[in-house]
Amino acid sequence: FSTRGICDVAHAACWTGRYLGGVAFWYAVTGDTAVREHGQLILDALYRLHHMTGVPGLLARGYVKGHGPSYEERFHEPHQDEWHQGVPPYQDYRWRGDVSVDNYNGAFFGYALYYDLAADAAQRAQIREEVRALATHIVEHGMRIVDVDGEVTEWGRWELEEEHFGKLPPGRIRQTLHVLSLAA
């Protein structure tokens, strides 16, 4: 039993995107239409991660079903308790905020591979719409991710900022804005 909750939703967007990338390779190898149907389920999950926040282009880190404090938010450290109720039609979900560039990079990774290797015409249109919204949010906020509270998220910077430099843990790879330009 873990005091950290029954699941780790902090990296759901990142891992869901990477999973979508794996499904893209699966389809590329097999050409199985059932794989493409599975890919649609993952695209739908990424769609929910975006749209339940109510802010165009803002991803949630992850979500759980429920109203009020979830198990995960009651037992996380105080600095990790940025949780919100989803907006309609996702009002029955709690989503974790303070999303990071890693979550966006994982989503972009999956979208890119799936678009190129597996997506049908409708899925490509969906991916273009989602990537456009996510990239627009970042570009319009000066290469930063701005959360629902109007503040830049803790790990929401693609460009190295001197005042934030000291907050990076030793050995952390710095994300730079040229990475995002590949997605746009």
Side-chain angles (χ1 to χ4, degrees):
F1 180 77
S2 168
T3 60
R4 296 192 55 87
I6 56 174
C7 63
D8 178 13
V9 300
H11 304 100
C14 182
W15 292 115
T16 303
R18 289 181 177 149
Y19 182 42
L20 182 63
V23 170
F25 287 124
W26 183 16
Y27 179 81
V29 170
T30 67
D32 184 350
T33 56
V35 174
R36 196 180 267 163
E37 292 170 16
H38 186 70
Q40 185 61 54
L41 295 174
I42 303 165
L43 288 170
D44 292 344
L46 286 169
Y47 181 92
R48 280 190 300 279
L49 282 165
H50 170 202
H51 292 275
M52 73 174 38
T53 68
V55 176
L58 177 64
L59 280 175
R61 281 183 167 270
Y63 59 85
V64 295
K65 189 145 177 94
H67 291 273
S70 69
Y71 183 89
E72 285 77 10
E73 64 190 292
R74 287 193 311 264
F75 290 101
H76 272 112
E77 292 87 11
H79 73 280
Q80 295 180 336
D81 64 355
E82 187 171 321
W83 287 78
H84 310 276
Q85 201 67 39
V87 300
Y90 306 106
Q91 66 270 17
D92 291 332
Y93 293 91
R94 300 281 295 164
W95 61 273
R96 185 166 172 190
D98 200 30
V99 66
S100 71
V101 297
D102 298 329
N103 293 122
Y104 275 76
N105 288 341
F108 286 141
F109 171 83
Y111 281 140
L113 285 174
Y114 196 82
Y115 187 94
D116 287 343
L117 300 176
D120 61 24
Q123 291 172 332
R124 284 187 175 154
Q126 180 181 355
I127 291 168
R128 282 192 303 271
E129 182 179 317
E130 289 299 302
V131 169
R132 183 177 297 114
L134 299 176
T136 297
H137 176 86
I138 295 161
V139 170
E140 287 181 350
H141 290 97
M143 302 311 290
R144 295 173 186 87
I145 304 167
V146 174
D147 218 334
V148 293
D149 60 6
E151 298 292 323
V152 177
T153 65
E154 180 68 20
W155 302 109
R157 296 162 174 84
W158 266 273
E159 185 59 79
L160 181 62
E161 297 175 13
E162 292 301 320
E163 67 275 8
H164 190 70
F165 181 80
K167 293 185 174 186
L168 291 172
R172 176 159 170 95
I173 297 171
R174 289 168 178 80
Q175 309 288 335
T176 58
L177 55 93
H178 65 275
V179 172
L180 181 63
S181 66
L182 296 174

